[in-house]
């Protein structure tokens, strides 16, 4: 809970102690304080202290100043060197030592809030008397509130403790209790102040107060306040600057200097403080006059805080910064429980070396700015790049088209959502992956012993029987193909490169849908909302699950890493405040695929770039690369995931708000539609990656791996149907009667099969057999033959109507009277009633030679 949301109750005047005094009775309070020895003995006639001592003794006696949140520094890499990325606090505070705070600030605090600070023991009886008299007289101004700096420190410590509680409900209650102006609360505050004064020196108490106090606009401590409001350090403030800062503490939401509308209220309190500083001889007459005459507009130079991920160095690094901090706060190095880890992070002092490569991340952010601009106003366009080192899982980039903004109402060009990460780490619920999910069907296909050269049906068709976790599933499902006219049989290799939906449905029907899901999970795939299980419906094979881009990049990195999956990591090392290295995220890698399966998959996915749906993605340096595209049904989510042998990169663009805008129909202004540019954009992202991490050739899969356990379709041409049935059954296939077709040969014999002779199929596949009706004959090849021989050959093929054309082709003097061409062409299967015409060679001029018959 931020102090901005809770500090409204702090605007209650501190002089509410007057009401407290009026309730208890001023003489009773005085007697109480005499009894406990806070002040020198004061004789107050008729005071009975017995009843009040019990109340006071029941209250806690001590409170610790404790360690305030320290600076946590986050580092990244640039040019191969470790560099500063961000400074992150739980609160916007930079703690100072006593001698780092200007005397003007110390004097402003004491003169304005607690003139007898160095003379009392935590509670100032004189101020309490004045507050009590003021209460009886109708109330005093702010200067007569009675709360010492030590008492105010107690209140601030309790507010800070409240903000560190685990739940919003607990934080709200404890915070309201801390600022509540009641008799028990004031008594507790006084007793704890006495305890503080006994335990700590005045310097320590004053320093603690100036470091912990809230100064409005999410700014804590005088150093952060000086930097935010004046763009300078708290070591060298002018009297008016020091007084203006201290003027904020009693009403931080209405006297801070973030907006000129608060200036008048600030100046009113500032001038009271300046008057006290002058009266205490901490200002000369000239200094006082100059300070009183000054206006906030003359010295306020509002500066955005340079703490936090909002101010992270590097182009587009803010989302990774935010992600890395969420990760490090869950690391065991910070504590055994989440409560301990949260407390350790708040206390700070850590140096976090992350895995981010600022050079590559900046380049990818520039690409997104160009091709997926955050100024797109026609629909809610999101886009990310995520690159992962294959052998380690180290996250190299996390670029996003939207700017980072954690405010409640972000501008349209910005967001608080990290599209790259799971919901736990960035608030996004992921996106449907489209055909990039086909990788897991391909891998399960290969694991099951099938091959890339195996033929599957790529014509859209309804499949009525699937296998789901070992049981039959009779869901009727038949996806359409992305490209019109995509029909026929495909090898798995070609179906992968061209991303043929129906072909992958045919593959999945031969597998178990739960095995495909398990293969995906083995490669680290999970729903971005981890409370939701991956579904394993028939349609899921085409990417209906919502998954984070970072997850897909890591899954594809497994292919590059020869079948070893490495969980993505963002933290290389953590160093504590004492300079001790605590280590980073552990490298969690596991062999989840046989290397031969990974190599065969990489071989197939290289075809996507060479002749498939990712043509244009190959970098000019020739680095071997693999990839898979993904497009949802409405083209509202567009993907390209792949990589080299060293780095995998996922490029996602789409409707981040659940809209259905078709990215094939909208243009970015950078050339082409959003969807059509993906191969080019991905190539541009991979080019510098290949320079940083030079890739190598992928292992060559064996021929047996490419073929798998498939069986060749036998040659059945001319066989009887009984012979064909027997041969099909013996080969392990299922015979399907395709019926009779017009054709040559003996009626009733086999004319063709689908898939054709020699095609590789898995055992149990269907082979459709077509027989001929004998009505056709095949025109024979007769070129070069004499007229008589040609006529005999044509008649012998079954054609009874043979004609000789009346014109001739130019001859060479040797080939006259021989056949130059035939119509229909040789090899044509046609009806035996068809007239076949031959054309002969004539003389050199194409004239009829003598003697041709």
């Amino acid at each position: 809970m931020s102090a901005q949301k809770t500090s409204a109750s702090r605007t209650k005047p501190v002089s509410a102690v007057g009401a407290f005094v009026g309730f208890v009775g001023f003489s009773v309070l005085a007697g109480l304080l005499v009894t406990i020895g806070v002040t020198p003995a004061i004789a107050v006639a008729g005071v009975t202290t017995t009843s009040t001592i019990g109340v006071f003794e029941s209250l806690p006696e001590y409170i610790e100043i404790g360690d305030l949140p320290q600076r946590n520094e986050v580092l990244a890499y640039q040019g191969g060197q470790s560099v500063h990325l961000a400074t992150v606090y739980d609160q916007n505070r930079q703690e100072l030592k006593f001698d780092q705070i200007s005397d003007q600030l110390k004097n402003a605090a004491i003169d304005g809030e607690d003139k007898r600070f160095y003379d009392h023991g935590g509670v100032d009886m004189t101020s309490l008397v004045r507050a009590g008299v003021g209460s009886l007289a109708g109330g005093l101004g702010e200067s007569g509130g009675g709360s010492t700096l030590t008492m105010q420190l107690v209140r601030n410590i309790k507010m800070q403790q409240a903000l560190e509680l685990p739940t919003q409900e607990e934080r709200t209650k404890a915070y309201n209790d801390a600022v509540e102006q009641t008799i028990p609360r004031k008594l507790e505050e006084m007793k704890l102040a006495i305890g503080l004064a006994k335990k700590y020196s005045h310097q320590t108490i004053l320093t603690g107060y100036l470091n912990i106090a809230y100064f409005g606009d999410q700014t804590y401590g005088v150093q952060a306040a000086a930097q935010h409001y004046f763009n300078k350090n708290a070591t060298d403030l002018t009297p008016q600057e020091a007084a203006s800062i201290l003027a904020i503490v009693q009403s931080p939401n209405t006297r801070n200097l973030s907006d000129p509308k608060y200036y008048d209220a600030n100046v009113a309190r500032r001038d009271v403080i300046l008057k006290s500083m002058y009266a205490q001889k901490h200002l000369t007459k000239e200094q006082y006059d100059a300070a009183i005459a000054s206006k906030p507009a003359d010295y306020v130079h509002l500066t955005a805080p340079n703490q936090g991920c909002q101010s992270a160095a590097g182009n587009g690094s803010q989302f990774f910064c935010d992600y890395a901090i969420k990760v490090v706060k869950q690391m065991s190095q910070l504590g055994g429980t989440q409560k301990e880890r949260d407390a350790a992070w708040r206390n700070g002092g850590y140096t976090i070396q992350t895995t981010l490569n600022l050079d590559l991340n900046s380049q990818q952010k520039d690409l997104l700015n160009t091709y997926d601009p955050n100024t797109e106003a026609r629909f809610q366009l999101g886009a990310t790049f995520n690159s992962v080192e294959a052998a380690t899982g180290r996250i190299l980039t996390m670029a996003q088209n939207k700017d980072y903004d954690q405010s409640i109402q972000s501008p349209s060009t910005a967001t608080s959502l990290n599209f790259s990460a799971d919901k736990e780490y960035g608030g996004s619920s992921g996106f449907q992956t489209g055909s990039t999910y086909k990788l897991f069907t391909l891998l399960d296909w290969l694991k099951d012993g099938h091959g890339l050269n195996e033929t599957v049906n790529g014509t859209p068709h309804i499949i009525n029987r699937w296998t789901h976790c070992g049981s039959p599933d009779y869901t009727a499902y038949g996806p359409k193909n992305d490209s019109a006219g995509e029909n026929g049989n495909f090898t798995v290799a070609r179906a992968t490169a061209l991303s043929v939906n129906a072909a992958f449905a045919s593959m999945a029907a031969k597998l178990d849908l739960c095995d495909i899901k398990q293969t995906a999970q083995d490669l680290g795939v999970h729903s971005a909302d981890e409370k939701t299980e991956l579904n394993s419906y028939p349609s899921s094979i085409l990417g209906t699950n919502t998954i984070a881009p970072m997850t897909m990049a890591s899954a594809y990195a497994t292919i590059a890493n020869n079948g070893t999956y490495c969980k993505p990591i963002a933290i290389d090392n953590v160093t504590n405040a004492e300079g001790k290295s605590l280590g980073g995220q552990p490298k969690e890698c596991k062999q989840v695929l046989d290397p031969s399966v990974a190599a065969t998959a990489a071989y197939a996915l290289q075809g996507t770039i060479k002749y498939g749906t990712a043509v244009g993605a190959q970098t000019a340096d020739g680095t071997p690369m693999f990839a898979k595209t993904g497009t949802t049904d409405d083209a509202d989510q567009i993907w390209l995931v792949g990589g080299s042998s060293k780095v995998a990169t996922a490029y996602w663009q789409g409707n981040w708000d659940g809209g259905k805008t078709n990215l094939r129909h909208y243009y970015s202004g950078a050339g082409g539609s959003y969807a059509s540019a993906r191969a080019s954009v991905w190539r541009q992202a991979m080019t510098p990656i290949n320079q940083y991490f030079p890739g190598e050739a992928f292992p060559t899969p064996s021929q047996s791996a490419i073929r798998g356990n498939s069986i060749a379709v036998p040659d059945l041409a001319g066989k009887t149907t009984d012979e064909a049935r027997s041969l099909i059954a013996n080969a392990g296939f299922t015979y399907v009667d395709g019926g009779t077709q017009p054709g040559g040969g003996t009626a009733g014999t086999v004319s063709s099969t689908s898939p054709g002779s020699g095609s590789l199929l898995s055992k149990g596949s269907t082979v459709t057999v077509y027989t001929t009706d004998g009505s056709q004959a095949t025109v024979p090849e007769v070129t070069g033959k004499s007229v008589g021989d040609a006529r005999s050959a044509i008649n012998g093929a079954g054609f009874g109507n043979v004609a000789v054309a009346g014109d001739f082709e130019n001859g060479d003097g040797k080939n006259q009277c021989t056949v130059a061409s035939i119509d229909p062409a040789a090899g044509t299967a046609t009806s035996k009633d068809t007239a076949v015409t031959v054309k002969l060679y004539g003389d050199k001029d194409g004239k009829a030679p003598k003697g041709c018959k």
Side-chain angles (χ1 to χ4, degrees), residues 463-539:
I463 299 174
N464 293 301
R465 191 183 192 282
W466 310 80
T467 302
H468 189 272
C469 298
S471 300
D473 179 344
Y474 298 102
T475 300
Y477 176 65
K480 65 180 181 179
N481 288 330
D482 190 51
S483 299
E486 241 175 9
N487 295 292
N489 294 314
F490 292 80
T491 65
V492 169
R494 187 162 175 265
T496 300
L498 299 178
S499 197
V500 182
N501 293 339
F504 270 80
S506 297
M507 293 163 62
K510 297 177 183 293
L511 306 169
D512 191 314
L513 295 173
C514 291
D515 290 343
I516 296 173
K517 170 185 171 180
Q518 186 59 55
T519 297
Q521 291 175 323
D522 290 343
L523 273 68
V525 175
H526 54 271
S527 295
D529 180 355
E530 292 187 306
K531 296 179 181 178
T532 303
E533 282 287 325
L534 286 179
N535 65 58
S536 52
Y537 311 125
S539 60

Side-chain angles (χ1 to χ4, degrees), residues 111-179:
D111 298 344
E113 299 291 325
D114 190 0
K115 295 182 180 64
R116 284 168 293 280
F117 173 69
Y118 283 106
D119 299 324
H120 61 67
V123 176
D124 184 6
M125 189 60 190
T126 304
S127 293
L128 283 171
V129 170
R130 189 186 328 118
V133 173
S135 175
L136 296 174
L140 287 173
E142 290 170 332
S143 60
S147 285
T148 64
L149 286 177
T150 312
M151 292 168 66
Q152 291 183 51
L153 176 57
V154 168
R155 192 179 313 129
N156 275 279
I157 291 172
K158 293 185 75 64
M159 289 189 295
Q160 178 63 39
Q161 291 172 341
L163 295 177
E164 294 175 2
L165 292 174
T167 69
Q168 180 68 36
E169 183 179 357
E170 290 175 293
R171 289 192 292 270
T172 300
K173 183 181 184 304
Y175 193 95
N176 289 337
D177 287 346
V179 299

Side-chain angles (χ1 to χ4, degrees), residues 110 119 234 267 349 682 811:
I110 295 171
D119 299 324
V267 167
W682 188 84

Side-chain angles (χ1 to χ4, degrees), residues 64-69 91 93-99 101 106 109 117-118 149-150 152-158 160 196 200-215 220-223 249:
E64 297 283 343
I65 291 180
D67 294 327
L68 294 176
Q91 296 175 345
R93 175 188 286 111
Q94 183 174 342
E95 193 170 358
L96 298 179
K97 297 179 180 178
F98 182 79
D99 58 5
I101 302 172
K106 298 169 190 172
F117 173 69
Y118 283 106
L149 286 177
T150 312
Q152 291 183 51
L153 176 57
V154 168
R155 192 179 313 129
N156 275 279
I157 291 172
K158 293 185 75 64
Q160 178 63 39
L196 274 182
Y200 297 102
S201 69
H202 286 87
Q203 283 191 359
T204 301
I205 291 172
L206 179 58
T207 304
Y209 172 76
L210 293 174
N211 277 324
I212 200 173
Y214 178 57
F215 291 96
Y220 297 81
V222 291
Q223 173 70 345
V249 292

Side-chain angles (χ1 to χ4, degrees), residues 323 326 330 421-428 528-530:
Y323 174 85
K326 288 183 172 71
Q330 295 186 13
D422 290 340
K423 188 174 185 178
E424 178 185 3
Y425 293 98
S428 173
D529 180 355
E530 292 187 306

Side-chain angles (χ1 to χ4, degrees), residues 661-679:
T661 298
N662 190 316
L663 271 68
R664 286 171 166 163
H665 299 163
Y666 282 78
Y667 296 80
S668 68
S673 69
Y674 284 112
S676 65
R678 62 179 148 187

Side-chain angles (χ1 to χ4, degrees), residues 711-786:
I711 306 165
V713 176
D715 184 359
L716 304 178
K719 303 292 185 182
T720 65
T721 53
D722 288 341
E723 291 173 327
R725 286 180 185 277
S726 176
L727 289 171
I728 290 294
N730 290 338
F733 302 133
T734 300
Y735 181 98
V736 174
D737 186 353
T740 301
Q741 296 179 327
T746 304
T749 60
V750 175
S751 58
S752 64
T753 61
S754 179
S757 170
S759 298
L760 299 176
L761 301 178
S762 57
K763 189 175 182 179
S765 296
T766 59
V767 177
T768 302
V769 178
Y770 300 96
T771 55
T772 178
D773 62 1
S775 65
Q776 293 183 341
T778 300
V779 177
E781 177 60 71
V782 293
T783 303
K785 294 180 180 294
S786 66

